[in-house]
């Protein structure tokens, strides 16, 4: 399919910026949900990149999910004339604030926990049914006498 260079650039720039792209399987949609480009052109451009192995495609619930591969990053970087310092959002490390080193309460020394009062008699054998107790289920269920 012939896609104008302007529309292809919009699609590729968005794909490179985010690292991922989603498109609804609606070939007649006048434009894509996020881009000012016909949805069919987005799907076909991504289909072309998928056939070259530059994008991985996942289809679920009538939506296409496209994820950029490392080869695709290099290809788009060259196609868009971008420096190596610029990377897609999915390749950036999230800056997490450093957690303060604190000791959890009750964790010092590795001492075992004291027994909990509500679980003392759990699964204890002394208070069970007598040894000669045989329950009868006559007349209940299938095949009874």
């Amino acid at each position: 399919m012939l896609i104008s260079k302007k529309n292809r650039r919009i699609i590729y720039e968005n794909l490179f910026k985010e690292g991922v792209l989603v498109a609804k399987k609606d070939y007649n949609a006048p434009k894509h949900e996020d881009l000012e480009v016909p949805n069919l052109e987005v799907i076909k451009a991504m289909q072309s990149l998928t056939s070259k192995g530059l994008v991985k495609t996942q289809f679920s619930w009538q939506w296409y999910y496209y994820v950029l591969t490392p080869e695709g990053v290099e290809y788009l970087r060259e196609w868009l004339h971008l420096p190596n310092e610029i990377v897609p959002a999915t390749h950036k490390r999230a800056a997490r604030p450093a957690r303060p080193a604190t000791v959890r309460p009750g964790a010092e020394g590795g001492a075992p926990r004291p027994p909990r009062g509500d679980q003392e008699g759990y699964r204890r054998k002394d208070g069970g049914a007598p040894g000669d107790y045989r329950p009868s289920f006559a007349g209940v269920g299938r095949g009874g006498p």
Side-chain angles (χ1 to χ4, degrees):
M1 173 175 203
L2 294 176
I3 302 172
S4 69
K5 190 156 186 167
K6 181 185 88 168
N7 286 352
R8 190 176 298 270
R9 177 173 275 294
I10 292 170
I11 295 167
Y12 285 179
E13 283 176 350
N14 188 45
L15 176 63
F16 188 84
K17 182 178 78 172
E18 299 294 328
V20 295
L21 186 69
V22 296
K24 186 174 176 73
K25 184 187 172 189
D26 183 6
Y27 302 123
N28 299 319
K31 71 178 198 74
H32 185 265
E33 303 266 332
D34 300 329
L35 309 173
E36 296 296 326
V37 177
N39 199 43
L40 180 64
E41 290 185 6
V42 173
I43 293 171
K44 291 302 178 181
M46 293 296 105
Q47 187 177 17
S48 173
L49 292 178
T50 301
S51 69
K52 296 175 186 176
L54 305 175
V55 170
K56 191 182 92 174
T57 303
Q58 180 72 38
F59 183 76
S60 178
W61 290 80
Q62 300 298 311
W63 283 82
Y64 290 103
Y65 297 90
Y66 302 103
V67 180
L68 200 56
T69 63
E71 296 83 21
V73 172
E74 293 302 318
Y75 174 81
L76 288 181
R77 188 174 282 141
E78 182 181 318
W79 198 90
L80 295 169
H81 306 293
L82 297 173
N84 288 339
E85 294 81 36
I86 300 176
V87 294
T90 54
H91 291 230
K92 293 178 184 173
R93 293 254 180 212
R96 293 183 184 171
R99 292 187 347 183
T102 59
V103 178
R104 294 180 300 165
E108 58 274 338
R113 291 183 183 174
R116 294 176 59 179
D118 60 341
Q119 295 180 350
E120 283 297 316
Y122 186 67
R123 293 194 183 186
R124 187 169 274 167
K125 295 288 182 186
D126 6 327
D132 60 343
Y133 177 69
R134 300 283 179 246
S136 65
F137 302 103
V140 180
R142 300 172 68 186

